[in-house]
Amino acid sequence: MQDPVRVVVADDHPVILFGAEQALLKFPGLQVVARARQSTELIKVLQTIACDVLVTDLAMPGGQYGDGLPLIGYLRRNFPNLPIVVLTMLENAALLKRLSELGVTSVVNKSDDLSHIGLAVQHVSRNLEYMSPSVKASLDALRMNAGGKNDEVMLSKRELEVVRLFVSGMTIKEISEQLNRSIKTISTQKNTAMRKLGIERDSELFQYAQSNGLLNLSSHSTDATGGVS
């Protein structure tokens, strides 16, 4: 008899945590061995409990190891052989691209049926890629819009500066005064950055900034791609 696939589930929302676990239990051969609510708990679990696959929320603030892409980067460096299924509400092109660059081969959108979490675990446990339907649709749209190009999402130094200040809570007017640029210039740089990132609404920009570590600059250094090094 084949050994069960041991799964750790991490999410800061109890309802999602419970729902994900229940969804996984419907799949024969999958066993939830531990749960975590933030990164401190998660790293402790991974250091003490053997598991085969990690299912983790992307936005999970509060722990000492951060969340979003900085946390995924930490996990990839310290647990390089552990397959990761990322849960998220975000679908923007830059985020999906960064996750792929970090070695994440499975992303499940929380708006899709929770059964996709189990399907994702089954796939990554066999070294196969799996994207839930809405994530796959976003990737397909990205490829179509790119027209076959595979260029890096690259923000200029000034665009990144404007995004950082905007997500910190400053208005366009306040940013223009601080940087000594016109309001029109600041607005254009912000809009250009959003277009490059595949983001249409300010709320998505805040979510992207959180996931990419831009809301916690004191503990992470950022490069010109808006990524964390």
Side-chain angles (χ1 to χ4, degrees), residues 2-73:
Q2 191 173 7
D3 292 334
V5 176
R6 299 162 297 183
V7 185
V8 170
V9 183
D11 198 292
D12 62 328
H13 294 96
V15 173
I16 298 293
L17 198 60
F18 177 79
E21 182 173 355
Q22 293 303 305
L24 288 167
L25 291 176
K26 293 179 180 178
F27 285 77
L30 303 187
Q31 178 186 6
V32 177
V33 294
R35 303 149 206 81
R37 293 282 300 275
Q38 31 87 331
S39 64
T40 308
E41 270 183 49
L42 174 58
I43 300 306
K44 184 176 181 180
V45 163
L46 294 178
Q47 290 172 339
T48 56
I49 298 176
C51 80
D52 303 304
V53 177
L54 168 63
V55 175
T56 182
D57 186 12
L58 191 62
M60 195 168 52
Q64 72 180 87
Y65 299 95
D67 69 338
L69 293 176
L71 174 60
I72 299 299

Side-chain angles (χ1 to χ4, degrees), residues 9 38 76 80 112 120 136 142 146 150 197-198 219:
V9 183
Q38 31 87 331
R76 297 300 299 156
D112 289 325
K136 189 174 184 301
L142 170 62
N150 193 26
L197 294 171
S219 59

